[in-house]
């Protein structure tokens, strides 16, 4: 599924986002930029907003059992 953590709803289409909300029960968030010459706006979008978007996605997941979320920063 193509997406980008630097964008709202992880850069996913509405259809893909809703499908994942319904079907996902494990999340590993390891997306980040470590380029020290990255423009601050880009680094913030990936490293800060990306984590916030994953947390928002996690809160919206519909699960009938347990769910695990791993955010490595």
């Amino acid at each position: 599924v193509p997406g980008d953590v630097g964008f709202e709803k992880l850069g996913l289409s509405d259809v893909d986002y809703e499908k994942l909300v319904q079907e996902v029960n494990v999340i590993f968030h390891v997306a980040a930029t470590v380029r020290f010459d990255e423009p601050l706006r880009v680094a913030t979008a990936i490293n800060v907003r990306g984590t916030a978007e994953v947390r928002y996605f996690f809160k919206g997941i519909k699960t009938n059992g347990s769910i695990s979320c791993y955010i490595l920063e």
Side-chain angles (χ1 to χ4, degrees):
V1 177
D4 188 326
V5 297
F7 291 96
E8 182 179 356
K9 294 173 69 175
L10 305 171
L12 299 168
S13 70
D14 289 340
V15 171
D16 287 341
Y17 190 89
E18 289 305 317
K19 181 175 176 125
L20 291 173
V21 163
Q22 297 295 325
E23 297 181 9
V24 165
N25 63 358
V26 176
I27 300 169
F28 287 90
H29 171 46
V30 294
T33 182
V34 293
R35 290 183 50 199
F36 295 108
D37 61 344
E38 191 83 78
L40 184 57
R41 180 183 59 78
V42 173
T44 300
I46 296 169
N47 296 344
V48 177
R49 183 177 184 171
T51 300
E53 290 294 328
V54 170
R55 290 182 65 197
Y56 180 74
F57 175 78
F58 176 77
K59 289 180 179 181
I61 289 177
K62 315 283 190 283
T63 180
N64 293 326
S66 65
I67 184 165
S68 299
C69 182
Y70 304 96
I71 299 176
L72 307 175
E73 297 183 80

